[in-house]
Amino acid sequence: MSDKNTPEKKSLSMGAHTLPVPVDLFALNRRRLVEALKEKALDSIVLLQGGDEVPFYDTDITYNTFRQESYFMWAFGVTDAGCYGALDVKTGDSYLFIPRLPEEYAVWMGPLLQKNDFSSKYGIPHVYYVDELKGVLERLGRKILTLKGLNSDSGLTAKPATFEGIDKFTVDDTILFPIIANLRVYKTEHEIRVIRYVVAVSSYAHRQVMKFVKPGKYEFEGEAKFLAECYEKGGCRHVSYTCICGSGVNGAILHYGHAGAPNNTCIKDGDICLFDMGANYFGYAADITCTFPANGKFTQNQKLIYEAVLKSNRAVHKAAKPGVSWVDMHILANKTLLEELKNGGLLQGDVNEMVEAGLAAIFQPHGLGHLMGLDVHDVGAYLKGQPERPEKPGLNKLRTARVLEKDMVLTIEPGCYFIDPLLDKALNDPSLKKFLVPEVIKRFRNFGGVRIEDNVLITADGVEDLTIVPRSVEDIENWIEGKVEEQKYFDSQQLFIWWHTDSSRLHM
């Protein structure tokens, strides 16, 4: 392999108190990609196009703060817009192509980094300007591999790299996608360190939000608290998705917080809050949901549903390990939830028959969880050769049906929601109605919902929970009331020193 001149211990960070991300994380990913491609495409050049800043309609500003395209970030770690990256499969050499900006840009943007600056910052020895891309590829004289493939979560297609004159080259857009997408499923030790960090930061922020939220505050105030804590304490400038901060009935809106319902409801006494939020650090995502009572005390109904979901969550924690089907984990979670709802008097009849009839999808219409990495719903879920998407109700919403393997990172997020259209559907369906106890179900109309979402690493023999928040009813109530010191989780003043010392203190 080339790239032997990559500077040792070069790293990216947001400051001295934030996690250093070694550029070798991305160099290792490039080496993994080269090794995976050698057998199929030795005499080729991988060409990836980074993201561009997108104008806000016809104005001279852009949408929010730029975030790099994920495949490009995975391979090159470059946070700047308008770049390309190339990788010579035969030699392992890496090439970075950067925009040639006019000198007057320095007035507005500060000193403009030169080619040697990019080389030093990102540990990539061969750096050129984008207008030199065609000439460099002509000199290399190899077939170009571009990225084109379907994202099974969005239904959108990865954008192949393009430049003026690419039609003069031999280009293949079929080989690269399944290989690089599958590599992203398995996290390296470098990547796991970053994910641990961003999950720790997000956990810290969630804990502060649980204490901060009170009846009379607006949902968006909880969102603002989360954003501030992640950025100030963790250097996380981005979140991985729009924050979902549902109180009361809004907790049953699975993607609440969108532009038409921007977390703008006043939280009432007696509401249960479902807050789904995750920070992002150098592209890597966290995705945590905490459900808690706004006034700090669960009602009996809230406790019943919360503990049913928690039992479902913990059943998956206990059973998940390499070799286990994610579909089976979803079914286990569903069975556990339905059994608990039956014990609570909401349901009647045989639980196995309920599962077969699809009743679980009335209370949990989403899948158990998803792969997580540089995308919050990470890629590689339904690649060719992997299990296909199931067709049964509920199972058809699974974001992956893969068999678990070591070094995967996923969310475990069972939930229970009381959604009027789904409840009405079940009560009008003879195959489902027989399992429901209508007078009890009626008590839970306008309840909202409960979701308990953890971020986990699949280890050699099970699951490691990376999430660090109070989960039991007792722990949540004690935390909100102030009976538990921050040190139970970890000292907030030492939030980031743990990385350089002993991370085991996170899991006390």
Side-chain angles (χ1 to χ4, degrees), residues 33 50 75 131 143 169 224 228 231 281-282 289 358 397 490 493 506:
L33 181 56
D131 55 37
K143 178 172 69 175
F169 293 82
Y231 200 177
Y281 191 72
F282 282 90
T289 306
K397 299 300 183 183
F490 60 97
Q493 300 305 313
L506 288 172

Side-chain angles (χ1 to χ4, degrees), residues 205-215 219 222-223 244-248 267-268 270-277 289-299 302 306 449-452 470-473 475-477 479-480:
H206 266 283
R207 295 199 306 274
Q208 309 319 306
V209 169
M210 292 170 77
K211 281 188 172 180
F212 171 80
V213 166
K214 297 285 187 295
E219 295 161 335
E223 176 183 15
I244 299 169
C245 301
S247 62
I267 300 168
K268 299 188 294 294
D271 278 351
I272 193 166
C273 297
L274 187 159
F275 279 33
D276 183 341
M277 305 177 289
T289 306
C290 292
T291 306
F292 58 96
N295 62 15
K297 293 293 181 183
F298 286 89
T299 67
Q302 290 169 352
Y306 185 88
V450 171
R451 181 163 62 252
I452 300 173
R471 283 303 192 202
S472 72
V473 166
D475 284 348
I476 290 170
E477 290 183 343
W479 172 255
I480 293 174

Side-chain angles (χ1 to χ4, degrees), residues 104-322:
E104 57 265 28
Y105 272 39
V107 175
W108 310 102
M109 299 172 64
L112 301 180
L113 298 182
Q114 304 302 309
K115 291 187 291 186
N116 62 313
D117 298 315
F118 275 85
S119 180
S120 176
K121 180 177 180 179
Y122 294 111
I124 300 173
H126 307 295
V127 180
Y128 298 87
Y129 290 111
V130 169
D131 55 37
E132 299 174 291
L133 174 60
K134 182 172 178 288
V136 172
L137 294 180
E138 285 174 340
R139 290 198 299 275
L140 293 174
R142 307 198 199 288
K143 178 172 69 175
I144 295 174
L145 305 181
T146 59
L147 186 72
K148 184 179 181 181
L150 182 69
N151 184 305
S152 59
D153 286 300
S154 67
L156 303 176
T157 300
K159 175 187 173 185
T162 185
F163 61 89
E164 187 174 346
I166 194 173
D167 56 314
K168 301 296 191 292
F169 293 82
T170 301
V171 179
D172 185 302
D173 64 5
T174 65
I175 293 175
L176 180 60
F177 178 82
I179 291 175
I180 191 171
N182 196 56
L183 285 172
R184 282 181 56 185
V185 171
Y186 307 97
K187 274 52 179 183
T188 66
E189 285 300 315
H190 285 316
E191 290 179 303
I192 291 168
R193 290 179 81 189
V194 182
I195 293 170
R196 283 186 194 280
Y197 176 83
V198 73
V199 174
V201 172
S202 301
S203 297
Y204 172 82
H206 266 283
R207 295 199 306 274
Q208 309 319 306
V209 169
M210 292 170 77
K211 281 188 172 180
F212 171 80
V213 166
K214 297 285 187 295
K217 289 188 178 293
Y218 279 80
E219 295 161 335
F220 67 79
E221 293 182 76
E223 176 183 15
K225 178 70 170 174
F226 181 84
L227 297 175
E229 295 289 352
C230 289
Y231 200 177
E232 179 186 355
K233 301 294 196 307
C236 298
R237 197 175 194 187
H238 300 103
V239 286
S240 295
Y241 52 94
T242 302
C243 293
I244 299 169
C245 301
S247 62
V249 295
N250 297 334
I253 303 171
L254 299 184
H255 284 172
Y256 184 70
H258 57 80
N263 297 325
N264 63 345
T265 298
C266 186
I267 300 168
K268 299 188 294 294
D269 191 24
D271 278 351
I272 193 166
C273 297
L274 187 159
F275 279 33
D276 183 341
M277 305 177 289
N280 191 286
Y281 191 72
F282 282 90
Y284 285 90
D287 182 4
I288 299 169
T289 306
C290 292
T291 306
F292 58 96
N295 62 15
K297 293 293 181 183
F298 286 89
T299 67
Q300 284 305 112
N301 283 346
Q302 290 169 352
K303 182 177 179 180
L304 189 161
I305 302 304
Y306 185 88
E307 290 188 331
V309 176
L310 182 61
K311 193 165 184 178
S312 176
N313 173 286
R314 291 320 187 209
V316 177
H317 274 265
K318 186 175 180 180
K321 61 183 178 181

Side-chain angles (χ1 to χ4, degrees), residues 6-16 18-26 73 76-77 79 117-123 190 193-194 281-282 499-500:
T6 299
E8 293 297 319
K9 299 182 180 178
K10 283 282 185 183
S11 62
L12 311 171
S13 78
M14 288 292 286
T18 64
L19 178 71
V21 178
V23 297
D24 193 53
L25 182 158
F26 311 103
M73 188 70 188
F76 292 94
T79 57
D117 298 315
F118 275 85
S119 180
S120 176
K121 180 177 180 179
Y122 294 111
H190 285 316
R193 290 179 81 189
V194 182
Y281 191 72
F282 282 90
W499 186 250
H500 304 287

Side-chain angles (χ1 to χ4, degrees), residues 298-485:
F298 286 89
T299 67
Q300 284 305 112
N301 283 346
Q302 290 169 352
K303 182 177 179 180
L304 189 161
I305 302 304
Y306 185 88
E307 290 188 331
V309 176
L310 182 61
K311 193 165 184 178
S312 176
N313 173 286
R314 291 320 187 209
V316 177
H317 274 265
K318 186 175 180 180
K321 61 183 178 181
V324 169
S325 163
W326 193 240
V327 176
D328 290 344
M329 293 296 93
H330 180 92
I331 294 171
L332 172 63
N334 283 174
K335 282 185 176 180
T336 305
L337 177 66
L338 293 174
E339 187 69 53
E340 292 303 304
L341 293 182
K342 178 183 173 181
N343 293 339
L346 287 81
L347 304 178
Q348 59 192 354
D350 184 79
V351 169
N352 289 325
E353 290 180 18
M354 295 179 197
V355 171
E356 190 60 31
L359 182 65
I362 299 299
F363 295 98
Q364 185 193 301
H366 60 76
L368 173 64
H370 49 81
L371 298 167
M372 190 181 80
L374 277 168
D375 293 314
V376 65
H377 299 151
D378 215 9
V379 297
Y382 286 109
L383 296 174
K384 186 177 180 180
Q386 296 296 334
E388 296 183 357
R389 188 187 296 274
E391 296 181 355
K392 287 187 177 181
L395 293 176
N396 61 358
K397 299 300 183 183
L398 278 168
R399 293 188 183 273
T400 186
R402 291 183 72 138
V403 172
L404 298 179
E405 297 181 71
K406 184 178 180 293
D407 296 330
M408 289 180 171
V409 174
L410 301 98
T411 65
I412 297 174
E413 51 177 304
C416 181
Y417 317 88
F418 294 87
I419 303 170
D420 283 341
L422 295 182
L423 293 174
D424 293 340
K425 173 186 173 183
L427 288 167
N428 287 306
D429 183 339
S431 68
L432 299 177
K433 180 179 179 180
K434 63 183 181 180
F435 300 117
L436 303 177
V437 182
E439 61 272 20
V440 181
I441 294 291
K442 186 177 180 180
R443 287 203 338 248
F444 288 86
R445 296 277 189 169
N446 299 319
F447 175 93
V450 171
R451 181 163 62 252
I452 300 173
E453 181 177 15
D454 296 321
N455 302 164
V456 304
L457 169 69
I458 306 301
T459 64
D461 56 3
V463 157
E464 179 187 349
D465 188 2
L466 307 178
T467 320
I468 319 157
V469 295
R471 283 303 192 202
S472 72
V473 166
E474 181 182 8
D475 284 348
I476 290 170
E477 290 183 343
N478 287 341
W479 172 255
I480 293 174
E481 191 176 346
K483 289 183 177 179
V484 180
E485 295 295 326

Side-chain angles (χ1 to χ4, degrees), residues 66-86:
F66 174 73
R67 264 186 66 187
Q68 188 58 268
E69 193 278 330
S70 296
Y71 285 100
F72 185 83
M73 188 70 188
W74 180 86
F76 292 94
V78 176
T79 57
D80 302 77
C83 298
Y84 290 76

